[in-house]
Amino acid sequence: MSNHHQHEVVIVGAGGAGLMAALYASRGADTAVISKLYPTRSHTGAAQGGIGAALGNLEKDTVEWHTYDTVKGSDYLGDQDSIEFMAKEAIPVVYELEHMGLPFSRTEDGRIAQRPFGGHMNKETNKPVTRAAYAADRTGHMILQTLYQQCVKNEVNFYDEFQVLDLIVEDGKTAGVVAVDLSTGELHTYHAKSVIFATGGHGRVWEVTSNAYAYTGDGVAIAARKGIPMEDMEFFQFHPTGIKKLGILITEGVRGEGGVLINGEGERLMDKYAPNAKDLASRDVVSRAMYIEAREGRGVNKEKHMYLDVTPEVVNKYAKSDGRTNPDGTPYVTTAEEILTKLPDIIDFCRTYLGIDPVKQPMPVQPTAHYAMGGIPTNVYGEVVIDEKNTIMPGFYAAGEVACVSVHGANRLGTNSLLDIVVFGKQAGKKAAEYSKNNKYPSFPDDAKENTQKQVDHILNSDGSESAADIGKEMKSVMMDHVGVFRTEEGMAKAVEKIRELKERYQKVGVTDKGKVFNTELLNVWELGCLLDSAEITAVSALARKESRGAHAREDYPKRDDKTWLKHTLAWMNDDGIKLGYKDVQLGKYEPKERVY
Amino acid sequence: MDISLKVFRYNPEAGRTKPAYDTYLLNGVDPTDRILDLLEEVKDYHDGTLSFRRSCAHGVCGSDAMRINGVNRLACKALVQDLNSNSITVEPILGLKVIKDLIVDMKPFFDSYKSVMPFMINDDIPEDGKERLQSIADRERFDDTTKCILCAACTTSCPTFWSDDKYVGPAAIVNAHRFIFDTRDQAAEERLNILNDESGVFRCRTAFNCTEACPREIHVTQAVAEVKQAIVSGVIK
Amino acid sequence: MTTTVRKIKKQSNFEITSWKWMRYSAVALLPLVWIHVLIKDVIVGVHNIDTFYVRDIWAIWGWKVYDILLLAFTFAHGVNGLRNVSMDFFHSEKARKIVDWGLIVLWVLVSGIGALAIIAGARPEMLV
């Protein structure tokens, strides 16, 4: 195999967004997918609870309600035109997944089953609405498998276990990427008309995270190093319910099925913080509530975690006091058996990692770093926009968690991430194919590999006086402590300083493995560089934003400040550090108002 | 607690052309640590050249299937306390070519998977553009086999596969089963036609290793038997 | 809750037939073997079996047929099992074909000679 390839569309990343883009791009253009993991290993597969769409299979629901909930969830930072676009596209795209063969759970009348999720409300009853279409608690797994199956069917080209290390830009136009074949260590160049980044997030920046080892912010770092700004990076979601210490995700679907958060004193804590939506308030609200409870000494055994209780007795007790009903109006009553059918994987995780049975005992949970709302700025067609005026960069697309459309604003609602990847993956794939039909191949530089080779050689030839593992640990710890659920000026300033120090020390990290075949040590060190870049952009963006909004909660500025801060952050990374700029939020019919759940 | 971790090593590129074992003494191991945590510890602080695959670290991505104390498991789903032993041996899964340390060549495995047409075939879409209907019972019928994460723990524990790599193996059959028993699919006959020859289901000798190895607790041998039954009887139920 | 039952065209090839053969022959073998064991080991007893006994039994055509069937079925069952095991060691189509034919020849040969012997019967007077 030659080490130089030419494909009209090159997609980097093979999770939900990448595969959806691949399906659409390959219909109109010669397409290749490059992925550092086998596609079915992608982190989409870890998503559990559901995909949001106002299908209305169990009760009345509308696109407008979905739009409003998402706008409100975003703390009014989401672009309303994009959000409406996504909520509208949600319905056909979920049906499309079903047509592709996705094994959704079913209702009594054979339709796609739906369950309530945090922040999704019925505007008539003012109670949580059943909007999350699901396949048990394996919705992400099913989406990933189904999309991969369709790619196999359509004979999409895959370069599995190839790590993309650089984006090639020639005269302002996207010209391709450089990747290393992990199995041989050889560098490969890809000449392309359009490149789609669907590389996922950077949750591994934090100590306690639900994210995979592979979630190292590669896309963010590669693009930022090419002078592309990152949007709203200060907004990173902490999911309220990760398994204590491990951070493994316990789906919000548990609370959708009636699970309740209980503090160390045996009280249902959300009564105080969200009197109406209670445990199904949006994630930032619940995470903060848990954090405050723990800080005030009401954690379980005075520790940092709370209990998430889904035992039938507790569920039924609180369902009764909340007046929760089934769609037909009868009181909501569940059984251990029903919980087992609806949440089989959660039960399995708890048995494996905690040795407890969730239908008999409560689960110890704490907030866990979960999802990047920010990332590479795009419009609704996945086209990357590179400044305050939304100027499009020709041939460059991004979709999924690495992208910031922005539909999630300051806080993403549960089920909107799976929706995001399929809706915008599809748009990016279509647009990239269309662009490649209408444009010639841009010229491809002869020295395309040089920048990458330099990076690799630098690591291989470093004296290795610093340890990658230590730097990684220090980064995770400082980000967890100071750029986590609650933030202060002092803490974030400390974090920025620390990250810069770590970046200096990173230059001296070396590797003991000098081989070419599956040099995973070299790969890990390179990924750490991406994490440090992601961390720096996040911390600097956060330090500058002097207000509290969504996931960005500052103790020194506890209020939202729409007058000054109703705007998106843009952060450019250059040699002297991070340069910040801002751009307007697309408002619409929903005027910003106080956010109460 | 202290653990003695014995790891299979092989790296021809660095002169380790003969398979051998390295043993690492790890102190202060928590009984609830995953085997993956131990491997990470070794890679971070003992020997950076040790190579293995991993990603999600909680048993849903299927990257880190390996032989742990002789049994195929996911390194991220096996806890130290589950093994009831202070000495732990980690080796690559069997039947696929070892490339480096715990990393094996997965290509033949995915080729087998692709050979059974693992995708829905049905172009009839309801006129209203909405979902096809399916009863709860019909959806439940193939639920077990939708759980597969393609980790290869089953196929590489199968004695038939060890001796004959032409055998499609349990994982491919599980993925065929997922479609054969889905009432929405229209290509059951073709799939069964692929599986009815001498590289197909009839090579299964019901050793049950696959069922024991599956980290997702899929009843693999049962799925294989149901496929055999469908072939012989011509009835899918 | 019941699931939908679907019918497809029944398929047929050598592997299916051979797989079925293993099951059907096993079922046929059950009475054949058990009756054999019952009579020879329990009712008659192994120590009472000598060439005179065999001569008397094989004088009856019914028993001749029974024993020929027993031999042919057990041996075919065994040979088919052997064929399955052989696939672990012979991977090319050609090698497998040779093994298959070899086993068939073996079966025909052994069953044929056995049947011939049974039909010919035992003549203990020749030994005396």
Side-chain angles (χ1 to χ4, degrees):
Chain A
M1 184 164 63
S2 148
N3 288 359
H4 182 72
H5 314 265
Q6 198 177 54
H7 296 285
E8 287 178 309
V9 180
V10 164
I11 297 167
V12 185
L19 295 178
M20 193 72 179
L23 280 177
Y24 273 87
S26 62
R27 288 178 193 173
D30 168 27
T31 303
V33 183
I34 308 175
S35 168
K36 67 171 165 180
L37 302 169
Y38 274 103
T40 58
R41 315 285 185 230
S42 307
H43 204 51
T44 297
Q48 299 166 355
I51 174 168
L55 308 177
N57 281 355
L58 287 163
E59 62 179 302
K60 185 184 163 186
D61 196 7
T62 69
V63 167
E64 203 183 330
W65 291 355
H66 190 179
T67 307
Y68 172 72
D69 289 336
T70 306
V71 171
K72 180 182 169 187
S74 80
D75 221 348
Y76 297 91
L77 191 71
D79 292 324
Q80 294 191 18
D81 50 350
S82 309
I83 293 173
E84 196 180 350
F85 180 90
M86 178 174 79
K88 217 179 268 173
E89 285 292 312
I91 297 170
V93 92
V94 167
Y95 290 139
E96 189 180 350
L97 288 172
E98 197 283 329
H99 298 155
M100 288 177 186
L102 198 140
F104 281 108
S105 295
R106 298 287 170 158
T107 63
E108 290 292 337
D109 51 357
R111 300 209 164 269
I112 296 171
Q114 296 184 279
R115 60 161 60 118
F117 240 76
H120 296 277
M121 305 294 281
N122 180 319
K123 297 297 157 303
E124 286 169 2
T125 63
N126 213 15
K127 293 237 161 71
V129 68
T130 49
R131 184 178 292 149
Y134 66 92
D137 53 357
R138 314 187 176 105
T139 317
H141 165 77
M142 301 301 187
I143 289 179
L144 183 66
Q145 294 286 332
T146 303
L147 292 176
Y148 183 61
Q149 290 155 4
Q150 290 297 307
C151 285
V152 171
K153 185 180 177 188
N154 292 336
E155 295 175 354
V156 173
N157 296 312
F158 281 99
Y159 293 88
D160 295 332
E161 299 195 316
F162 278 64
Q163 168 76 42
V164 168
L165 300 170
D166 199 10
L167 174 73
I168 303 301
V169 182
E170 192 73 343
D171 306 324
K173 278 187 183 167
T174 312
V177 295
V178 179
V180 57
D181 175 352
L182 297 177
S183 68
T184 63
E186 296 292 332
L187 289 184
H188 288 239
T189 46
Y190 294 81
H191 188 189
K193 293 177 184 175
S194 2
V195 172
I196 304 176
F197 267 26
T199 54
H202 49 270
R204 282 274 154 183
V205 159
W206 286 269
E207 196 172 350
V208 176
T209 177
S210 64
N211 285 186
Y213 274 104
Y215 253 33
T216 50
D218 307 355
V220 162
I222 294 170
R225 289 167 192 168
K226 285 284 157 182
I228 292 157
M230 292 301 127
E231 183 175 343
D232 293 341
M233 287 285 282
E234 62 270 41
F235 299 103
F236 197 91
Q237 179 168 77
F238 280 73
H239 192 292
T241 57
I243 290 181
K244 178 182 84 169
K245 286 186 189 142
L246 290 170
I248 296 169
L249 184 67
I250 300 292
T251 174
E252 199 166 306
V254 170
R255 284 169 285 141
E257 300 298 343
V260 174
L261 285 164
I262 307 281
N263 67 16
E265 290 166 11
E267 301 159 345
R268 181 193 202 179
L269 61 102
M270 289 312 293
D271 275 340
K272 261 181 288 180
Y273 300 91
N276 187 39
K278 296 190 174 155
D279 292 275
L280 288 175
S282 100
R283 288 177 180 170
D284 56 334
V285 176
V286 182
S287 286
R288 276 197 292 277
M290 293 169 71
Y291 195 90
I292 293 170
E293 288 288 303
R295 197 163 55 183
E296 292 177 358
R298 290 192 295 277
V300 174
N301 304 327
K302 312 254 175 239
E303 288 179 55
K304 282 183 186 165
H305 59 277
M306 302 290 143
Y307 276 140
L308 174 61
D309 201 329
V310 74
T311 58
E313 307 81 63
V314 170
V315 169
N316 293 337
K317 176 182 146 195
Y318 286 105
K320 196 173 167 200
S321 70
D322 290 352
R324 181 171 174 182
T325 55
N326 294 316
D328 61 4
T330 54
Y332 180 86
V333 179
T334 192
T335 59
E337 199 180 297
E338 199 175 338
I339 291 166
L340 276 169
T341 341
K342 287 185 170 169
L343 302 164
D345 275 6
I346 296 303
I347 311 281
D348 180 36
F349 294 155
C350 289
R351 284 175 183 162
T352 305
Y353 298 109
L354 295 166
I356 65 158
D357 192 339
V359 292
K360 296 194 185 116
Q361 289 160 282
M363 307 165 243
V365 292
Q366 72 179 90
T368 179
H370 185 57
Y371 185 87
M373 270 76 73
I376 303 172
T378 72
N379 58 25
V380 293
Y381 304 111
E383 293 166 310
V384 174
V385 290
I386 49 172
D387 58 20
E388 294 90 338
K389 288 174 290 194
N390 288 325
T391 307
I392 290 168
M393 173 163 168
F396 191 36
Y397 302 81
E401 191 173 343
V402 71
C404 178
V405 182
S406 137
V407 285
H408 309 306
N411 171 65
R412 175 175 69 77
L413 287 193
T415 78
N416 273 353
S417 63
L418 288 177
L419 183 58
D420 174 347
I421 58 175
V422 287
V423 166
F424 296 111
K426 176 174 165 178
Q427 296 303 326
K430 270 163 106 168
K431 206 71 185 174
E434 188 187 306
Y435 176 86
S436 67
K437 277 287 149 260
N438 300 330
N439 288 276
K440 287 203 195 84
Y441 276 100
S443 65
F444 195 77
D446 295 333
D447 61 350
K449 278 182 197 169
E450 210 165 276
N451 176 33
T452 310
Q453 193 67 56
K454 246 194 297 188
Q455 286 180 44
V456 172
D457 290 345
H458 175 82
I459 300 173
L460 284 173
N461 299 327
S462 155
D463 64 356
S465 55
E466 287 283 354
S467 139
D470 288 343
I471 291 177
K473 276 189 185 150
E474 288 175 43
M475 169 193 70
K476 286 166 203 285
S477 154
V478 75
M479 290 298 283
M480 197 74 194
D481 290 345
H482 298 300
V483 198
V485 175
F486 276 106
R487 301 163 177 188
T488 62
E489 183 83 17
E490 194 196 347
M492 286 188 288
K494 208 185 276 172
V496 171
E497 200 184 323
K498 180 76 185 176
I499 298 294
R500 288 192 175 142
E501 175 211 311
L502 293 175
K503 279 182 92 164
E504 281 297 313
R505 284 167 52 194
Y506 173 75
Q507 293 306 318
K508 295 185 205 131
V509 170
V511 286
T512 49
D513 193 341
K514 310 282 185 193
K516 300 196 97 176
V517 178
F518 279 105
N519 190 337
T520 52
E521 189 184 16
L522 177 65
L523 175 65
N524 292 357
V525 170
W526 184 83
E527 287 173 333
L528 176 62
C530 296
L531 283 171
L532 286 166
D533 285 350
S534 307
E536 187 188 10
I537 301 170
T538 303
V540 171
S541 302
L543 181 59
R545 187 175 279 272
K546 293 186 173 23
E547 64 156 354
S548 288
R549 184 187 296 272
H552 178 66
R554 290 189 60 153
E555 296 186 73
D556 40 3
Y557 297 93
K559 286 254 177 301
R560 197 175 78 199
D561 175 5
D562 288 332
K563 221 186 232 162
T564 326
W565 288 105
L566 187 56
K567 55 189 181 185
H568 296 294
T569 305
L570 290 177
W572 282 266
M573 193 172 75
N574 49 39
D575 292 342
D576 335 312
I578 310 289
K579 189 191 104 190
L580 296 177
Y582 294 91
K583 71 174 181 185
D584 293 339
V585 174
Q586 291 303 312
L587 294 170
K589 57 180 157 187
Y590 305 109
E591 283 292 316
K593 58 180 181 193
E594 206 193 338
R595 206 161 140 249
V596 193
Y597 282 101
Chain B
M1 63 194 285
D2 297 341
I3 291 287
S4 144
L5 185 72
K6 194 171 144 193
V7 186
F8 178 95
R9 302 300 304 269
Y10 173 72
N11 184 10
E13 197 189 10
R16 302 194 68 161
T17 48
K18 284 229 173 78
Y21 293 84
D22 282 352
T23 303
Y24 306 94
L25 296 171
L26 305 175
N27 309 318
V29 172
D30 209 318
T32 57
D33 278 349
R34 298 164 275 201
I35 304 308
L36 179 61
D37 297 326
L38 306 189
L39 292 172
E40 288 288 336
E41 173 79 12
V42 169
K43 188 163 180 70
D44 281 350
Y45 295 107
H46 296 258
D47 185 349
T49 66
L50 175 66
S51 296
F52 50 91
R53 292 187 177 104
R54 88 283 191 258
S55 187
C56 79
H58 66 287
V60 296
C61 81
S63 298
D64 60 353
M66 40 191 88
R67 232 168 353 129
I68 299 169
N69 282 357
V71 180
N72 277 9
R73 315 182 66 153
L74 297 180
C76 60
K77 244 192 142 178
L79 307 191
V80 172
Q81 63 190 16
D82 301 341
L83 300 172
N84 296 319
S85 169
N86 284 17
S87 51
I88 297 172
T89 307
V90 182
E91 299 158 291
I93 43 180
L94 288 171
L96 294 168
K97 200 178 132 224
V98 178
I99 300 174
K100 182 183 180 187
D101 298 339
L102 301 168
I103 296 177
V104 299
D105 181 9
M106 294 293 287
K107 194 177 173 297
F109 174 80
F110 279 101
D111 286 347
S112 292
Y113 162 77
K114 287 171 192 163
S115 75
V116 300
M117 309 203 301
F119 38 79
M120 169 77 65
I121 296 188
N122 180 347
D123 293 329
D124 304 337
I125 289 166
E127 266 176 34
D128 59 6
K130 293 188 175 180
E131 71 267 56
R132 301 184 193 97
L133 301 182
Q134 186 171 45
S135 74
I136 291 175
D138 282 342
R139 165 63 179 79
E140 185 59 29
R141 177 66 189 84
F142 64 100
D143 187 64
D144 203 36
T145 44
T146 62
K147 298 190 301 199
C148 177
I149 53 174
L150 299 169
C151 68
C154 59
T155 295
T156 60
S157 73
C158 172
T160 307
F161 179 76
W162 293 337
S163 64
D164 180 7
D165 55 15
K166 281 205 196 98
Y167 174 44
V168 291
I173 300 171
V174 159
N175 280 280
H177 179 283
R178 177 250 169 276
F179 290 99
I180 293 166
F181 289 86
D182 185 338
T183 47
R184 299 171 298 167
D185 181 71
Q186 297 173 338
E189 210 168 301
E190 285 168 69
R191 272 184 256 279
L192 292 173
N193 238 326
I194 294 168
L195 289 172
N196 71 14
D197 77 352
E198 60 182 23
S199 63
V201 283
F202 294 119
R203 300 303 314 282
C204 165
R205 288 176 204 149
T206 57
F208 279 92
N209 282 14
C210 50
T211 303
E212 223 166 282
C214 180
R216 302 284 286 165
E217 290 168 24
I218 299 170
H219 301 92
V220 185
T221 315
Q222 187 182 332
V224 177
E226 286 172 356
V227 173
K228 285 180 193 168
Q229 220 166 41
I231 290 175
V232 173
S233 67
V235 180
I236 300 167
K237 60 177 180 187
Chain C
M1 292 209 290
T2 50
T3 51
T4 310
V5 177
R6 285 169 298 153
K7 283 211 161 92
I8 54 158
K9 216 174 76 202
K10 257 202 200 172
Q11 302 172 342
S12 164
N13 64 21
F14 180 61
E15 284 303 320
I16 296 172
T17 315
S18 117
W19 190 83
K20 281 187 193 163
W21 166 255
M22 285 306 266
R23 272 78 203 159
Y24 299 155
S25 64
V27 171
L29 279 171
L30 282 174
L32 287 172
V33 171
W34 280 111
I35 291 169
H36 177 87
V37 169
L38 193 71
I39 294 176
K40 311 292 181 210
D41 287 2
V42 182
I43 299 174
V44 180
V46 271
H47 300 295
N48 300 325
I49 294 177
D50 54 16
T51 27
F52 294 99
Y53 171 81
V54 176
R55 178 195 59 191
D56 297 344
I57 279 290
W58 279 351
I60 306 163
W61 266 101
W63 283 117
K64 278 190 185 175
V65 174
Y66 185 97
D67 280 359
I68 290 171
L69 278 180
L70 183 62
L71 171 67
F73 267 112
T74 23
F75 202 57
H77 190 82
V79 161
N80 199 17
L82 211 58
R83 188 183 75 85
N84 262 294
V85 175
S86 78
M87 284 202 257
D88 287 355
F89 303 96
F90 300 97
H91 297 153
S92 78
E93 210 160 301
K94 198 175 156 196
R96 283 182 179 176
K97 209 155 235 175
I98 294 172
V99 171
D100 285 357
W101 277 108
L103 287 171
I104 288 173
V105 170
L106 182 70
W107 177 72
V108 171
L109 225 61
V110 171
S111 304
I113 293 170
L116 222 63
I118 292 170
I119 292 164
R123 292 182 213 162
E125 53 276 15
M126 286 184 69
L127 297 173
V128 182

